[in-house]
Amino acid sequence: MMGRWLVAAASLALLAACGSDRGRSDKDGTDAPDVDAPGTGEPGEDPAEIARKLSEKPWEVVSNKGETYLPNVFYADASENEQIMPYAVDGHVMIDRLVYPTLGNPNLYTKSDAKDELVVVLRIEDAAFAHLGAKIEPVAGSHLSKLVVPNDASTGFGFFLIPRGAREPNTESTTAISSGKGTDVVRVYPNEIFVNPEPDDMPAVLKKRKTLRFVFRQGAMAKAPAGLYDLRFEVKKDNELYRPAAGAPPVYEYQFNAVRVFDAEPDEYSVVNVTDTQVSVGDVYDAKTKDKLDEFVQFMNTTNDPAVRNASFITFNGDLHNGGSPGSLRQRTVAWTYEEEAKSIVALLKYLPLPIFLTTGNHDGYVSTGHVPSAVKALDTGLGESLREVIIEASPKAWPDFSVTQFDSYIQKTEAADRLGGVHRDIFTGGFARTGAASLAGFDGWKEIPRADRNLVLYDGFYQWQKTYGPLYYSHKFGKSFYLSLNSFELRQHRRTGWGMYTVNYGGGMSDVQMAWLDRELLRARIDENDVVVLAHHDPRGGHKGKDPGYYFEQLEYRSVYQSAINYLVGKVWNPAVCKLPDWALSRDQNESCVHDGLQEWMRADPEFDCGWDERKTDFTCKPGTPYASGVELMKRLSASANVRTMLLGHTHYNALEILQEGDELLPGQFPVGSASSQKFATLEVQNPLRGFSELQSGGALADYDHHALGLAAMETRFADFVSQYEKSVAGWQRTLAGSMGPRELVVLRLVSNADLASQTYSNGKNALGFSVLFLDKKSDPRGVVQAQINRAKFFANVGAAKYDTVGTIDIDRTARLRPHDPENPVEKLFDW
């Protein structure tokens, strides 16, 4: 047990660090330091140093319970989401000023917890509330300032909790709404309004809006009965929506299912888990994906199953979108892909009876720079359509000051340089290079990349995500459970490129910025003695389909979609050349899914940019050396953090259970470098022939993929280089699950696809697509864990028409050691795969 001797001193520091010391005026004493809180560190740890590490950054919002609602408050700013195609859903941008809580990052508020708060965060320009005569005042002992506005119900900020029964006509109203008697709408008034700091070196583009957080405590929330609510905010003047200027749109915004109010927070509870919905619009995939999400929502609203009806919320493991449909490669269809999918997704998710915490996957983050495959261009030209025409029609543009001439110039420039995936820049999203080491000059690690030096993208799926659902990663707590939702597809923009759903890199990756944030989250969990559940789409151990952990796929240059693949995908005429492996490859079962499989688990380092900031040259590219291996780095952290005992994954489209115990190997120390190993892994590298085509294109432009021409020698050399770099990255680390506070286990649950894309069957060959309910309860066993954990799971399978089979319920024995295919594994007994 952690030492308690430095509790009192550290409690004061940590309350300020986590955003609790906000100069509040309430007199009930609920914000006093809790001297009976759990220990804050190991003996010898400096409380001041812990507080420094956990201090809230100017670009963060951390709750008084230690949840990072927003690791980046700027995520939905227009400057961070510049693309050509619109991301508005039916003309409405889902997230503009209201950045928390949202449909995909909701707030759970407990009325009986005197310390709990509903926090609403706005990114809002001064002009939007200039008529209020607001004053900003410093708060003693806090990094935050206070916003003081008149206390006037008819003129000022208005916040409304709207139950589903009152959604019509209130949530989406284009005029100011009433919360009068009999409406069921609850207007809540903030206890205080705080303003995030704006350091002098904060980039000017980010200073165009202020970050305001509105805090609602017990008294403010007393009128809200337990239940699920839409959240709406308005800026009013004389009971009408305020317009910042003549002709400007009124200031209001809403989010569906953004707040759930509980009377009490249970010690034990359950959550629904759904993953890999891969919603696609058009072709055959809408019936396989969108319709299946519709059936899930219907079932959630109509079932009498107590496991579902009593669940507290829904967790999601990635691939909400599909990013296209297999046969949809026409220019107009591809350009509108993410916006059309988002429209369908929001229309369904808003009817869920539970809040849903969304996690990103690879299909959610594909990018197109607007380079159209030649066969698609030829087809559309014959039908009288061009991408230029589609772009001109698309409105409103999400790229400010858009110029078709400028875009044409960009396309010609990158085409001539053979950079169809875009110019190589150290950008994950938005307009900034970032480093977790905070060693860049200016704003603690933010370096703005000039507009002229960035890619001019047709669309970026992560931009659609940020403007529709919420941030790409964050954390939330419920009871003593701490949920960390990671973005495991955090590859740079030019590595996520393709055409529609066809790309060459779709495995996992994490930046050093997100990793540094994770370090702070794991420290918070240790101090608060929380049980940590990590949600991610990809497995950081690498490999493929649960095999060959430690192998990470190479990040390749996107080289377009080749001729014979398009002939099949567009013309529906099977061409056996599509799925042909090179002559040297090992024999493998292949079918048309080879061009859009989910084989990769994690990507190896990007040799251009994955290195420490002090190892870079003046152009930001890496000097020769050992690159930053994000999969290894993530596993080091998860292994060493004793509070991390559960990991929920998606991506593979099957249910599987692993239970690793202390001392179990997580990653191998070395790989064999013989010809057999080289051939095995090279075969995996090009099992998706789009990757084979990219390999082949590196030797010169080809119209089509000739599998006979793809050599092995260069891939063998790169494999040997990877093995050498990998061995350096794991050197000095024990590579086994570590424990320091008693017996340690790590439960790894992979969950099946909700779409009709499952890789698993049950009960005489029935397709296993569906969802699960995870039960968090307490168990007494030799581990001595007192918190509720995921100790049971109930599996449901879709049998059509919004009906679900109960496949079975399993107990998860956390003291056991289980591999996925062990005969005694309870999941193995339920499913065939």
Side-chain angles (χ1 to χ4, degrees):
M1 183 61 64
M2 291 179 286
R4 306 178 69 88
W5 56 276
L6 29 82
V7 171
S11 293
L12 283 163
L14 284 169
L15 282 167
C18 295
S20 288
D21 182 13
R22 296 171 178 157
R24 294 170 182 162
S25 58
D26 54 325
K27 300 177 181 179
D28 59 5
T30 57
D31 295 308
D34 181 0
V35 295
D36 295 321
T40 56
E42 303 291 356
E45 285 186 304
D46 181 4
E49 178 63 14
I50 293 174
R52 186 195 65 79
K53 289 179 179 179
L54 297 185
S55 61
E56 189 180 74
K57 312 299 182 186
W59 53 84
E60 291 181 333
V61 173
V62 180
S63 80
N64 64 353
K65 295 194 293 186
E67 309 151 283
T68 304
Y69 293 148
L70 296 175
N72 172 15
V73 297
F74 313 118
Y75 79 87
D77 281 18
S79 63
E80 292 296 278
N81 296 279
E82 293 180 2
Q83 63 176 31
I84 295 171
M85 297 304 293
Y87 33 61
V89 174
D90 288 327
H92 173 74
V93 177
M94 295 302 300
I95 301 177
D96 181 14
R97 299 179 178 99
L98 177 55
V99 296
Y100 177 83
T102 61
L103 173 64
N105 182 23
N107 182 276
L108 308 179
Y109 175 80
T110 303
K111 300 181 74 172
S112 62
D113 183 351
K115 293 186 178 181
D116 207 359
E117 302 172 336
L118 168 63
V119 176
V120 177
V121 183
L122 302 184
R123 284 281 295 157
I124 191 165
E125 68 278 21
D126 290 341
F129 60 97
H131 63 297
L132 301 181
K135 297 179 181 179
I136 297 178
E137 299 177 351
V139 177
S142 175
H143 66 295
L144 301 175
S145 302
K146 183 181 291 187
L147 187 76
V148 180
V149 295
N151 184 19
D152 186 341
S154 64
T155 297
F157 293 99
F159 294 90
F160 305 87
L161 299 177
I162 306 170
R164 184 185 299 178
R167 178 175 285 171
E168 300 295 340
N170 295 297
T171 298
E172 300 177 67
S173 175
T174 58
T175 59
I177 68 169
S178 167
S179 56
K181 192 171 182 179
T183 65
D184 291 330
V185 173
V186 180
R187 182 169 182 177
V188 289
Y189 293 86
N191 296 91
E192 286 173 302
I193 309 168
F194 296 97
V195 186
N196 269 33
E198 292 186 349
D200 291 339
D201 60 354
M202 180 174 168
V205 69
L206 303 179
K207 288 184 177 180
K208 291 182 177 181
R209 291 184 168 187
K210 286 184 170 60
T211 303
L212 306 184
R213 62 181 86 180
F214 297 77
V215 180
F216 305 83
R217 294 191 289 276
Q218 270 191 314
M221 296 293 290
K223 294 187 297 181
L228 182 63
Y229 295 91
D230 298 342
L231 174 67
R232 176 182 170 97
F233 103 89
E234 303 174 347
V235 177
K236 296 187 177 189
K237 182 177 182 181
D238 297 329
N239 271 328
E240 293 187 358
L241 295 181
Y242 179 67
R243 297 175 184 269
V251 181
Y252 75 100
E253 204 165 319
Y254 55 85
Q255 278 291 313
F256 300 112
N257 296 356
V259 178
R260 183 171 184 186
V261 175
F262 295 84
D263 283 327
E265 198 168 79
D267 289 335
E268 300 179 318
Y269 62 99
S270 64
V271 299
V272 171
N273 183 276
V274 62
T275 186
D276 290 75
T277 53
Q278 292 193 214
V279 170
S280 180
V281 179
D283 197 49
V284 296
Y285 258 34
D286 53 359
K288 286 178 169 289
T289 62
K290 177 169 67 73
D291 291 356
K292 299 307 175 188
L293 178 57
D294 191 358
E295 291 172 10
F296 168 72
V297 174
Q298 289 183 52
F299 180 77
M300 290 293 296
N301 280 289
T302 57
T303 182
N304 291 318
D305 190 301
V308 176
R309 298 199 68 83
N310 295 332
S312 296
F313 50 87
I314 302 171
T315 54
F316 187 87
N317 304 345
D319 280 2
L320 179 65
H321 285 254
N322 203 51
S325 191
S328 300
L329 287 113
R330 300 282 302 281
Q331 293 169 93
R332 181 175 296 276
T333 303
V334 169
W336 284 101
T337 286
Y338 276 109
E339 192 271 350
E340 289 290 325
E341 289 178 355
K343 187 186 303 183
S344 295
I345 290 167
V346 171
L348 293 172
L349 293 189
K350 71 180 185 180
Y351 289 111
L352 283 171
L354 299 173
I356 182 170
F357 289 92
L358 292 173
T359 300
T360 57
N362 53 290
H363 279 272
D364 302 310
Y366 294 151
V367 176
S368 174
T369 58
H371 285 282
V372 185
S374 58
V376 173
K377 187 181 295 185
L379 173 65
D380 275 350
T381 299
L383 296 172
E385 187 163 84
S386 69
L387 182 61
R388 204 173 197 271
E389 175 184 283
V390 174
I391 288 172
I392 291 171
E393 290 177 7
S395 186
K397 300 287 189 300
W399 176 8
D401 305 319
F402 173 76
S403 160
V404 175
T405 302
Q406 187 182 11
F407 180 68
D408 288 343
S409 174
Y410 167 80
I411 291 293
Q412 292 166 9
K413 179 178 68 176
T414 48
E415 212 158 36
D418 195 22
R419 289 283 171 89
L420 305 188
V423 293
H424 293 200
R425 294 288 181 265
D426 189 18
I427 295 174
F428 292 89
T429 60
F432 293 88
R434 294 286 313 279
T435 170
S439 56
L440 279 173
F443 201 48
D444 198 14
W446 295 63
K447 176 73 173 179
E448 190 165 6
I449 305 298
R451 168 78 271 178
D453 294 341
R454 287 160 25 210
N455 286 302
L456 310 186
V457 295
L458 182 66
Y459 62 76
D460 184 327
F462 282 157
Y463 293 172
Q464 183 73 60
W465 184 283
Q466 291 178 151
K467 298 299 287 186
T468 309
Y469 314 112
L472 300 176
Y473 58 91
Y474 58 91
S475 65
H476 82 275
K477 289 186 179 181
F478 195 66
K480 295 298 285 185
S481 302
F482 195 18
Y483 293 85
L484 300 179
S485 178
L486 306 183
N487 175 14
S488 67
F489 191 50
E490 204 178 24
L491 308 182
R492 289 166 179 84
Q493 198 172 57
H494 64 274
R495 293 302 188 192
R496 295 183 281 115
T497 52
W499 183 251
M501 62 177 284
Y502 298 104
T503 186
V504 293
N505 304 311
Y506 38 88
M510 278 179 64
S511 72
D512 59 344
V513 173
Q514 188 181 173
M515 207 75 75
W517 167 80
L518 177 63
D519 286 338
R520 299 200 302 276
E521 300 301 286
L522 295 175
L523 177 57
R524 286 191 177 100
R526 176 164 65 85
I527 290 169
D528 292 342
E529 295 184 347
N530 294 134
D531 182 74
V532 177
V533 178
V534 174
L535 294 118
H537 190 60
H538 304 84
D539 190 337
R541 293 173 295 178
H544 67 290
K545 298 182 178 179
K547 302 174 184 176
D548 301 310
Y551 184 76
Y552 299 123
F553 284 77
E554 184 177 7
Q555 294 191 42
L556 297 182
E557 188 87 16
Y558 169 69
R559 305 282 186 173
S560 191
V561 185
Y562 59 95
Q563 183 77 44
S564 58
I566 289 174
N567 288 347
Y568 166 67
L569 293 165
V570 175
K572 300 289 193 295
V573 178
W574 174 248
N575 185 334
V578 169
C579 286
K580 285 289 186 182
L581 285 166
D583 299 331
W584 47 260
L586 302 175
S587 176
R588 290 181 175 273
D589 292 333
Q590 286 202 291
N591 53 47
E592 61 182 292
S593 68
C594 68
V595 292
H596 49 84
D597 64 73
L599 187 69
Q600 302 166 357
E601 278 288 5
W602 207 270
M603 310 303 294
R604 68 185 65 162
D606 182 340
E608 276 189 291
F609 298 113
D610 279 329
C611 58
W613 209 256
D614 56 351
E615 299 170 330
R616 299 200 184 197
K617 295 179 285 187
T618 55
D619 64 354
F620 297 165
T621 58
C622 295
K623 301 172 185 176
T626 302
Y628 169 82
S630 65
V632 174
E633 291 299 318
L634 179 55
M635 285 312 302
K636 287 179 180 178
R637 287 158 170 80
L638 300 186
S639 171
S641 302
N643 299 75
V644 178
R645 294 180 179 267
T646 309
M647 185 159 55
L648 303 180
L649 304 173
H651 193 56
T652 54
H653 294 188
Y654 56 73
N655 294 299
L657 170 66
E658 291 178 79
I659 305 179
L660 303 170
Q661 297 295 336
E662 188 174 339
D664 283 351
E665 184 178 74
L666 300 171
L667 291 171
Q670 59 184 23
F671 285 98
V673 197
S675 59
S677 295
S678 297
Q679 183 185 28
K680 171 185 176 180
F681 290 116
T683 301
L684 292 174
E685 286 282 0
V686 296
Q687 185 160 336
N688 179 334
L690 266 68
R691 285 178 62 83
F693 182 57
S694 288
E695 286 275 2
L696 198 57
Q697 286 282 77
S698 62
L702 298 171
D704 212 342
Y705 176 44
D706 180 2
H707 61 283
H708 298 294
L710 185 57
L712 180 60
M715 300 182 72
E716 286 181 318
T717 300
R718 293 204 301 274
F719 174 69
D721 290 343
F722 160 70
V723 169
S724 174
Q725 296 287 3
Y726 171 83
E727 290 176 357
K728 291 178 183 177
S729 69
V730 298
W733 175 47
Q734 61 188 38
R735 298 178 293 99
T736 58
L737 189 64
S740 60
M741 299 161 55
R744 169 80 189 285
E745 85 286 354
L746 180 64
V747 170
V748 181
L749 264 174
R750 299 175 186 267
L751 284 308
V752 77
S753 173
N754 179 79
D756 190 5
L757 303 170
S759 304
Q760 214 170 37
T761 57
Y762 72 101
S763 183
N764 299 319
K766 294 180 182 177
N767 197 314
L769 73 143
F771 71 97
S772 57
V773 177
L774 309 177
F775 299 89
L776 289 94
D777 49 32
K778 298 180 179 180
K779 271 192 176 179
S780 297
D781 57 43
R783 297 173 306 127
V785 176
V786 297
Q787 301 95 335
Q789 294 181 289
I790 298 174
N791 288 317
R792 289 182 295 137
K794 184 174 183 178
F795 298 96
F796 295 81
N798 188 330
V799 293
K803 297 179 180 178
Y804 284 75
D805 272 353
T806 300
V807 181
T809 301
I810 65 166
D811 288 321
I812 299 173
D813 181 359
R814 287 178 170 267
T815 65
R817 176 177 277 107
L818 280 179
R819 299 296 180 184
H821 287 292
D822 288 347
E824 66 273 23
N825 191 310
V827 174
E828 179 77 4
K829 295 177 182 179
L830 292 178
F831 297 100
D832 305 308
W833 50 304

